[in-house]
Amino acid sequence: MFRTYLSTNDREFSKNSTTLYPVKPSQEIIKLSKHLPPSVSLGCAGWNFKGWKGLVWDSDDDVRSLDIKTIAAYAKHPLLNVIGIDRSYFAHMNEMEYDEMASLVRDDHRFKFLLKAPASVTDCIIRDEKGRFKAINNDFLDVRMAMHDFVYPVINGLGEKAGPLTFQLAPIPKPMLPTQKECYEYIDKISQFFTDLPKEVEGETPVYGLEIRTLSIYTKRLLNQLRDTGVRLVVGIHPSMPNVERQTAALRYFEDPDAEGDEWLMRGPLIVRWALNPIQKNGVGKMTYSPYNKLVHPDIETRSGIANLVAVAEKSNQNSFVIVNNKAEGCAPMSVLALAKLIAKR
């Protein structure tokens, strides 16, 4: 499927340096990439995985140092033209860090970064190192904080390389949603937040995405209130949420509450984050797919559902951004390849 292209001297050099070379894709991969619509962006969550030798990195290279500069090699893969950055969720990143990332792919006009807003804004509680409740987060969905710590640094640092700015709201603890009243209050707060977020920033028009992880607020009331805020509803494939078929129905209702069946259009870009395999809710949450170099649990249903969504986006003349985690099936690059084949057939 993949083969290397470095000369012997080049390989010797790579083993004695921090440079990581991209693998040379097969003719099959090159041909497949040319059959994908230019509006479709596929990529992985993260990049620094040693198990991707021979898939993304040259199989003879030393992969001991997978720092941020490795993104330049990742971007050479014909099927990978977007990358999901989760680091921004766990720690504040400044404008200079985003600018460094952008500089690695400055000449690639299609390549984008999909960023997650920091937990300091998207989690309603402050958690300890084990994820347990520590205190109420008073900065939850604070527009000023979101702009200062996330939106401005991203737009000023990445510029046109910025893909969707995704606000993945951490699960709201059940004791904080004892009745319908509290659910409605959270929905109101979420709606107001996206209403207040600036629609133009430093001459750019950010694409904001919302990913929900709390089923009790994933309702028609939420979708109705969000519909005119400008935010995009993220299809987040995760065991805590409905499957791709049900989320497709929710997205269809979000786009047009009167639409039925397959006759519907998207009003904005499609954003999909395929995070975890559904099997993980059946008592295998601790399962590891390391070293992430093969498909361990193929999820044909989800893969097909995502391809169908991309087809709707294409019919709607909208861009698609699909990010796949290693834990979706076991190996994100191989999941992207399988998904690309399905999309190309439609």
Side-chain angles (χ1 to χ4, degrees):
M1 187 181 301
F2 297 91
R3 54 190 172 85
T4 60
Y5 71 104
L6 300 177
S7 67
T8 302
N9 288 339
D10 285 334
R11 290 173 184 148
E12 286 301 314
F13 172 77
S14 69
K15 290 178 182 296
N16 293 287
S17 72
T18 58
T19 301
L20 196 66
Y21 290 92
V23 72
K24 183 177 181 180
S26 66
Q27 288 301 311
E28 176 195 11
I29 299 298
I30 296 172
K31 183 178 179 180
L32 177 59
S33 69
K34 293 178 179 178
H35 279 82
L36 291 176
S39 59
V40 176
S41 295
L42 306 177
C44 307
W47 71 91
N48 53 341
F49 301 101
K50 297 180 180 180
W52 292 1
K53 285 177 63 174
L55 297 173
V56 178
W57 325 126
D58 180 75
S59 59
D60 289 338
D61 279 339
D62 187 341
V63 293
R64 288 175 297 178
S65 178
L66 292 175
D67 60 17
I68 196 170
K69 295 179 181 178
T70 310
I71 293 175
Y74 167 102
K76 297 295 184 183
H77 194 290
L79 297 180
L80 304 178
N81 50 23
V82 64
I83 189 168
I85 304 296
D86 287 353
R87 176 184 164 195
S88 54
Y89 177 80
F90 298 102
H92 172 67
M93 294 178 62
N94 60 43
E95 180 180 332
M96 291 180 63
E97 291 174 291
Y98 288 122
D99 181 71
E100 181 184 5
M101 290 195 302
S103 70
L104 299 171
V105 292
R106 195 78 73 187
D107 296 332
D108 187 337
H109 71 283
R110 287 192 61 195
F111 197 88
K112 302 287 186 182
F113 293 84
L114 189 147
L115 290 306
K116 284 173 61 175
S120 58
V121 173
T122 60
D123 197 340
C124 65
I125 65 173
I126 298 172
R127 304 173 190 263
D128 64 16
E129 61 278 0
K130 293 185 178 181
R132 297 172 300 197
F133 177 87
K134 188 175 180 181
I136 295 293
N137 179 13
N138 294 322
D139 294 325
F140 176 58
L141 294 182
D142 182 280
V143 172
R144 188 190 67 82
M145 182 75 72
M147 295 300 297
H148 180 271
D149 288 357
F150 183 55
V151 179
Y152 280 130
V154 168
I155 297 302
N156 288 326
L158 288 179
E160 63 181 12
K161 294 300 178 187
L165 279 61
T166 304
F167 292 79
Q168 177 205 301
L169 303 190
I172 301 171
K174 289 184 179 180
M176 298 180 71
L177 297 172
T179 70
Q180 191 176 67
K181 176 177 178 290
E182 285 75 21
C183 289
Y184 286 176
E185 289 173 350
Y186 271 98
I187 288 173
D188 291 344
K189 187 176 182 68
I190 293 167
S191 173
Q192 191 62 54
F193 174 77
F194 285 106
T195 297
D196 293 343
L197 274 181
K199 304 305 183 278
E200 183 174 320
V201 180
E202 305 291 354
E204 300 287 343
T205 305
V207 174
Y208 299 122
L210 168 65
E211 181 175 351
I212 297 292
R213 289 285 178 87
T214 305
L215 197 55
S216 57
I217 64 171
Y218 191 70
T219 62
K220 285 188 175 181
R221 185 185 184 95
L222 173 70
L223 303 183
N224 286 334
Q225 290 191 205
L226 290 175
R227 187 172 292 115
D228 296 323
T229 65
V231 71
R232 298 301 300 155
L233 184 66
V234 175
V235 176
I237 310 300
H238 189 276
S240 64
M241 295 300 291
N243 63 19
V244 68
E245 182 179 2
R246 290 178 61 194
Q247 289 197 53
T248 296
L251 181 60
R252 180 182 61 205
Y253 178 82
F254 173 74
E255 304 290 10
D256 181 359
D258 297 322
E260 296 181 1
D262 297 329
E263 298 305 315
W264 62 288
L265 298 174
M266 295 181 188
R267 300 185 302 160
L270 169 68
I271 308 171
V272 178
R273 294 185 66 252
W274 188 3
L276 288 178
N277 195 298
I279 196 174
Q280 296 210 23
K281 69 178 179 182
N282 295 322
V284 260
K286 297 293 185 182
M287 181 178 296
T288 177
Y289 294 107
S290 182
Y292 310 118
N293 60 359
K294 61 182 179 180
L295 295 183
V296 180
H297 291 125
D299 184 358
I300 308 301
E301 179 183 343
T302 297
R303 201 187 298 161
S304 178
I306 294 173
N308 288 338
L309 282 168
V310 171
V312 175
E314 185 68 12
K315 180 177 68 175
S316 308
N317 294 315
Q318 298 291 346
N319 293 327
S320 297
F321 299 91
V322 181
I323 294 294
V324 185
N325 195 293
N326 276 324
K327 295 179 182 178
E329 296 184 294
C331 175
M334 294 186 73
S335 293
V336 167
L337 172 59
L339 180 59
K341 290 179 178 179
L342 276 181
I343 294 171
K345 288 179 180 179
R346 280 166 165 75

XYZ file of all heavy atoms in Angstrom, residues 205-267:
513
model
N -13.430 35.215 9.042
C -14.753 34.769 9.477
C -14.625 33.366 10.055
O -14.651 32.372 9.308
C -15.740 34.760 8.292
O -15.755 36.050 7.679
C -17.150 34.420 8.766
N -14.463 33.251 11.363
C -14.256 31.929 11.961
C -15.468 31.022 11.791
O -16.610 31.485 11.772
C -14.033 32.248 13.451
C -13.773 33.710 13.529
C -14.487 34.318 12.368
N -15.185 29.730 11.667
C -16.237 28.723 11.695
C -16.237 28.148 13.104
O -15.262 27.530 13.538
C -15.990 27.600 10.667
C -17.029 26.486 10.827
C -16.020 28.149 9.251
N -17.316 28.373 13.831
C -17.437 27.847 15.188
C -18.221 26.533 15.156
O -19.230 26.414 14.453
C -18.168 28.834 16.095
C -17.498 30.173 16.260
C -18.172 31.348 15.916
C -16.197 30.272 16.746
C -17.565 32.592 16.069
C -15.586 31.507 16.895
C -16.272 32.670 16.556
O -15.663 33.898 16.693
N -17.750 25.556 15.922
C -18.447 24.284 16.028
C -18.772 23.972 17.473
O -18.001 24.315 18.378
N -19.899 23.323 17.705
C -20.295 22.901 19.052
C -20.437 21.390 19.072
O -21.187 20.807 18.284
C -21.633 23.540 19.442
C -22.297 22.969 20.702
C -21.446 23.243 21.940
C -23.707 23.520 20.883
N -19.702 20.760 19.988
C -19.829 19.314 20.192
C -20.368 19.066 21.592
O -19.786 19.506 22.579
C -18.478 18.612 20.012
C -18.570 17.102 20.181
C -17.264 16.385 19.883
O -16.322 17.028 19.389
O -17.187 15.169 20.156
N -21.472 18.355 21.665
C -22.130 18.061 22.936
C -21.704 16.681 23.443
O -21.569 15.739 22.658
C -23.665 18.101 22.771
C -24.122 19.507 22.369
C -24.366 17.656 24.051
C -23.945 20.543 23.443
N -21.507 16.572 24.741
C -21.203 15.285 25.357
C -22.175 14.968 26.499
O -21.923 14.055 27.274
C -19.762 15.285 25.884
C -18.673 15.246 24.810
C -18.540 13.859 24.195
N -17.532 13.814 23.137
C -16.242 13.592 23.350
N -15.807 13.437 24.585
N -15.395 13.556 22.347
N -23.257 15.752 26.601
C -24.252 15.531 27.651
C -25.593 15.259 26.985
O -26.217 16.162 26.412
C -24.361 16.758 28.577
O -23.068 17.074 29.104
C -25.328 16.482 29.731
N -26.047 14.023 27.036
C -27.218 13.599 26.285
C -28.486 14.336 26.716
O -29.357 14.609 25.892
C -27.412 12.090 26.439
C -28.321 11.387 25.443
C -27.889 11.656 24.013
C -28.361 9.890 25.721
N -28.597 14.691 27.993
C -29.831 15.289 28.498
C -30.103 16.687 27.942
O -31.229 17.177 28.036
C -29.814 15.335 30.029
O -28.688 16.052 30.492
N -29.091 17.351 27.361
C -29.336 18.665 26.751
C -29.275 18.607 25.221
O -29.467 19.613 24.548
C -28.344 19.737 27.266
C -26.907 19.396 26.857
C -28.468 19.921 28.764
C -25.923 20.522 27.136
N -29.057 17.408 24.684
C -29.004 17.215 23.232
C -30.435 17.017 22.742
O -30.881 15.902 22.454
C -28.126 15.997 22.917
C -27.763 15.813 21.461
C -26.887 16.696 20.826
C -28.244 14.740 20.728
C -26.536 16.511 19.497
C -27.901 14.534 19.403
C -27.043 15.429 18.794
O -26.685 15.240 17.474
N -31.162 18.113 22.689
C -32.606 18.079 22.453
C -33.003 19.024 21.325
O -32.210 19.857 20.879
C -33.344 18.508 23.727
O -32.962 19.866 24.039
C -32.993 17.608 24.912
N -34.262 18.912 20.891
C -34.780 19.830 19.879
C -34.749 21.267 20.375
O -34.541 22.199 19.589
C -36.208 19.434 19.486
C -36.289 18.210 18.591
C -37.709 17.988 18.094
C -37.753 16.834 17.094
N -39.127 16.609 16.581
N -34.953 21.439 21.665
C -34.907 22.792 22.222
C -33.531 23.412 21.983
O -33.422 24.579 21.574
C -35.221 22.754 23.718
C -35.306 24.146 24.365
C -35.496 24.027 25.877
N -35.678 25.327 26.491
C -36.858 25.875 26.754
N -37.974 25.221 26.448
N -36.929 27.068 27.325
N -32.461 22.634 22.227
C -31.104 23.127 21.986
C -30.906 23.453 20.510
O -30.402 24.529 20.155
C -30.072 22.079 22.427
C -28.611 22.396 22.080
C -28.096 23.567 22.924
C -27.717 21.176 22.276
N -31.316 22.536 19.635
C -31.116 22.734 18.197
C -31.892 23.947 17.695
O -31.391 24.711 16.864
C -31.526 21.483 17.433
C -30.821 20.173 17.837
C -31.282 19.029 16.953
C -29.308 20.317 17.786
N -33.094 24.122 18.194
C -33.903 25.269 17.781
C -33.257 26.585 18.197
O -33.265 27.566 17.444
C -35.303 25.168 18.375
C -36.151 24.106 17.686
O -35.934 23.786 16.522
N -37.107 23.547 18.415
N -32.697 26.614 19.400
C -32.096 27.854 19.885
C -30.762 28.156 19.218
O -30.355 29.314 19.108
C -31.936 27.805 21.406
C -33.264 27.867 22.130
C -33.115 28.099 23.631
O -33.983 27.740 24.407
N -32.020 28.714 24.050
N -30.072 27.105 18.760
C -28.760 27.303 18.130
C -28.860 27.636 16.646
O -27.915 28.176 16.068
C -27.904 26.047 18.293
C -27.394 25.712 19.688
C -26.678 24.369 19.661
C -26.448 26.805 20.198
N -29.993 27.330 16.044
C -30.111 27.362 14.580
C -29.675 28.693 13.967
O -29.040 28.729 12.912
C -31.543 27.026 14.164
C -31.705 26.862 12.653
C -33.088 26.350 12.301
N -33.286 24.979 12.749
C -34.167 24.611 13.678
N -34.934 25.521 14.263
N -34.285 23.346 14.025
N -29.978 29.801 14.608
C -29.676 31.111 14.024
C -28.497 31.819 14.682
O -28.294 33.019 14.492
C -30.921 32.007 14.101
C -32.068 31.468 13.262
O -31.796 30.923 12.177
O -33.236 31.580 13.701
N -27.697 31.070 15.440
C -26.543 31.686 16.107
C -25.293 31.691 15.237
O -24.311 32.361 15.559
C -26.210 30.951 17.419
O -25.790 29.604 17.115
C -27.414 30.902 18.355
N -25.307 30.903 14.158
C -24.129 30.824 13.288
C -23.205 29.674 13.621
O -22.267 29.390 12.864
N -23.420 28.975 14.735
C -22.557 27.856 15.109
C -22.919 26.630 14.289
O -24.066 26.472 13.851
C -22.679 27.547 16.626
C -24.039 26.916 16.948
C -21.547 26.639 17.087
N -21.937 25.758 14.068
C -22.176 24.494 13.381
C -22.270 23.369 14.415
O -21.479 23.321 15.358
C -21.040 24.181 12.390
C -20.889 25.194 11.278
C -22.143 25.323 10.457
N -22.510 24.046 9.838
C -23.748 23.730 9.483
N -24.751 24.568 9.703
N -23.992 22.554 8.906
N -23.250 22.502 14.243
C -23.426 21.361 15.131
C -22.451 20.264 14.717
O -22.528 19.750 13.599
C -24.865 20.852 15.055
C -25.235 19.714 15.999
C -25.193 20.180 17.451
C -26.629 19.177 15.659
N -21.541 19.931 15.602
C -20.531 18.912 15.307
C -21.134 17.521 15.488
O -21.838 17.253 16.470
C -19.308 19.062 16.240
C -18.304 17.925 16.017
C -18.642 20.414 16.007
N -20.871 16.647 14.525
C -21.224 15.240 14.676
C -20.072 14.587 15.421
O -18.996 14.369 14.849
C -21.464 14.567 13.306
C -21.741 13.077 13.479
C -22.612 15.246 12.570
N -20.279 14.325 16.694
C -19.225 13.764 17.540
C -19.489 12.301 17.829
O -20.411 11.963 18.593
N -18.713 11.421 17.210
C -18.921 9.979 17.381
C -18.198 9.534 18.647
O -16.976 9.461 18.712
C -18.397 9.190 16.165
C -18.948 9.800 14.866
C -18.766 7.722 16.298
C -20.455 9.804 14.781
N -18.995 9.233 19.661
C -18.476 8.908 20.987
C -19.510 8.032 21.690
O -20.720 8.243 21.511
C -18.229 10.211 21.763
C -17.511 10.034 23.058
N -18.149 9.696 24.225
C -16.198 10.170 23.373
C -17.270 9.613 25.199
N -16.081 9.885 24.714
N -19.086 7.044 22.491
C -20.050 6.158 23.151
C -21.066 6.870 24.035
O -22.153 6.330 24.286
C -19.151 5.238 23.998
C -17.850 5.226 23.278
C -17.694 6.613 22.717
N -20.753 8.075 24.491
C -21.683 8.805 25.351
C -22.808 9.464 24.565
O -23.759 9.985 25.154
C -20.927 9.883 26.146
O -20.385 10.867 25.270
N -22.711 9.433 23.240
C -23.677 10.115 22.383
C -24.379 9.130 21.436
O -23.917 8.003 21.262
C -22.972 11.208 21.580
C -22.400 12.340 22.429
S -23.677 13.201 23.372
C -24.576 14.014 22.035
N -25.499 9.545 20.825
C -26.189 8.661 19.872
C -25.285 8.276 18.705
O -24.286 8.958 18.425
C -27.364 9.526 19.391
C -27.579 10.529 20.469
C -26.211 10.818 21.021
N -25.651 7.203 18.006
C -24.827 6.760 16.886
C -24.933 7.734 15.710
O -25.681 8.710 15.752
C -25.216 5.342 16.465
C -26.657 5.240 15.952
O -27.275 6.248 15.578
N -27.198 4.039 15.922
N -24.180 7.467 14.673
C -24.094 8.410 13.559
C -25.442 8.592 12.860
O -25.755 9.693 12.380
C -23.001 7.965 12.556
C -23.386 6.676 11.838
C -22.702 9.067 11.550
N -26.254 7.552 12.820
C -27.561 7.666 12.169
C -28.451 8.657 12.920
O -29.093 9.523 12.310
C -28.233 6.294 12.102
C -29.580 6.311 11.392
C -30.223 4.938 11.317
O -29.645 3.973 11.851
O -31.314 4.833 10.720
N -28.474 8.554 14.228
C -29.319 9.457 15.025
C -28.766 10.880 15.018
O -29.516 11.855 15.013
C -29.440 8.924 16.451
C -30.275 7.655 16.556
C -30.331 7.141 17.971
N -30.940 8.117 18.876
C -30.863 8.034 20.211
N -30.189 7.047 20.777
N -31.445 8.950 20.960
N -27.444 10.995 15.013
C -26.868 12.335 14.948
C -27.095 12.973 13.578
O -27.201 14.196 13.463
C -25.383 12.303 15.301
C -25.118 12.043 16.771
C -23.713 12.410 17.195
O -23.247 13.526 16.972
N -23.015 11.466 17.804
N -27.153 12.147 12.547
C -27.489 12.658 11.216
C -28.906 13.226 11.220
O -29.168 14.293 10.649
C -27.368 11.548 10.160
O -26.001 11.129 10.073
C -27.829 12.026 8.792
N -29.820 12.526 11.877
C -31.197 13.009 11.981
C -31.256 14.327 12.749
O -32.008 15.247 12.388
C -32.068 11.956 12.668
N -30.427 14.430 13.804
C -30.388 15.675 14.583
C -29.833 16.821 13.742
O -30.359 17.947 13.783
C -29.533 15.478 15.834
N -28.800 16.533 12.961
C -28.213 17.573 12.111
C -29.204 18.003 11.032
O -29.312 19.196 10.727
C -26.917 17.064 11.476
C -26.176 18.052 10.573
C -25.776 19.308 11.345
C -24.940 17.399 9.954
N -29.930 17.050 10.477
C -30.944 17.378 9.476
C -32.010 18.300 10.079
O -32.417 19.288 9.461
C -31.590 16.085 8.955
C -32.675 16.312 7.895
C -33.292 14.988 7.471
N -33.917 14.327 8.602
C -34.114 13.003 8.685
N -33.717 12.222 7.699
N -34.693 12.476 9.737
N -32.450 17.997 11.297
C -33.443 18.850 11.965
C -32.857 20.230 12.254
O -33.543 21.244 12.104
C -33.894 18.193 13.272
C -34.891 19.026 14.049
C -36.247 19.004 13.715
C -34.473 19.846 15.092
C -37.159 19.785 14.406
C -35.377 20.628 15.789
C -36.719 20.589 15.443
O -37.622 21.381 16.119
N -31.593 20.261 12.653
C -30.920 21.529 12.919
C -30.885 22.395 11.656
O -31.117 23.605 11.706
C -29.496 21.245 13.414
C -28.622 22.450 13.563
C -28.800 23.351 14.612
C -27.593 22.698 12.656
C -27.983 24.464 14.751
C -26.775 23.805 12.786
C -26.970 24.694 13.838
N -30.604 21.773 10.522
C -30.527 22.508 9.258
C -31.903 22.951 8.776
O -32.080 24.072 8.300
C -29.856 21.646 8.181
C -28.468 21.119 8.528
C -27.403 22.192 8.569
O -27.726 23.399 8.520
O -26.212 21.824 8.660
N -32.861 22.038 8.888
C -34.208 22.333 8.391
C -35.203 21.461 9.150
O -35.319 20.262 8.884
C -34.282 22.039 6.894
C -35.656 22.337 6.312
O -36.558 22.745 7.060
O -35.819 22.143 5.087
N -35.948 22.038 10.089
C -36.873 21.236 10.907
C -37.994 20.585 10.106
O -38.646 19.653 10.591
C -37.428 22.247 11.916
C -37.162 23.584 11.322
C -35.928 23.447 10.501
N -38.211 21.028 8.879
C -39.266 20.454 8.045
C -38.758 19.388 7.085
O -39.556 18.746 6.375
C -39.961 21.556 7.237
C -40.672 22.568 8.126
O -41.256 22.150 9.140
O -40.610 23.777 7.808
N -37.440 19.190 7.042
C -36.859 18.224 6.095
C -37.135 16.791 6.540
O -37.198 16.488 7.726
C -35.354 18.458 5.975
N -37.257 15.898 5.561
C -37.469 14.483 5.830
C -36.631 13.651 4.872
O -36.294 14.087 3.774
C -38.945 14.121 5.678
C -39.870 14.804 6.689
C -41.312 14.395 6.503
O -41.586 13.568 5.598
O -42.174 14.890 7.258
N -36.306 12.445 5.308
C -35.565 11.523 4.451
C -34.214 12.065 4.038
O -33.515 12.712 4.813
N -33.853 11.814 2.790
C -32.546 12.227 2.274
C -32.574 13.588 1.587
O -31.534 14.088 1.149
C -32.020 11.178 1.275
C -31.788 9.826 1.936
O -31.449 9.823 3.133
O -31.955 8.792 1.253
N -33.745 14.173 1.490
C -33.867 15.445 0.770
C -33.652 16.627 1.716
O -34.600 17.245 2.191
C -35.238 15.525 0.091
C -35.473 14.456 -0.955
C -34.385 14.451 -2.026
O -34.019 15.552 -2.505
O -33.903 13.367 -2.366
N -32.422 16.884 2.015
C -32.098 18.027 2.865
C -30.718 18.553 2.507
O -29.912 17.855 1.887
C -32.162 17.653 4.343
C -31.189 16.590 4.781
C -31.251 15.256 4.492
C -30.020 16.773 5.593
N -30.197 14.592 5.066
C -29.417 15.501 5.754
C -29.427 17.882 6.200
C -28.258 15.312 6.503
C -28.267 17.687 6.947
C -27.694 16.418 7.090
N -30.472 19.799 2.869
C -29.206 20.454 2.561
C -28.601 21.059 3.831
O -29.327 21.398 4.771
C -29.413 21.558 1.519
C -29.941 21.128 0.150
C -30.226 22.365 -0.704
C -28.954 20.206 -0.552
N -27.296 21.181 3.824
C -26.600 21.823 4.938
C -26.442 23.314 4.665
O -26.192 23.718 3.533
C -25.228 21.179 5.147
C -25.288 19.736 5.577
S -23.631 19.028 5.852
C -24.065 17.290 6.108
N -26.564 24.107 5.705
C -26.453 25.560 5.563
C -25.044 26.056 5.838
O -24.760 27.251 5.709
C -27.421 26.244 6.523
C -28.879 25.874 6.274
C -29.794 26.668 7.180
N -29.473 26.452 8.580
C -29.812 27.261 9.574
N -30.468 28.371 9.304
N -29.499 26.974 10.818
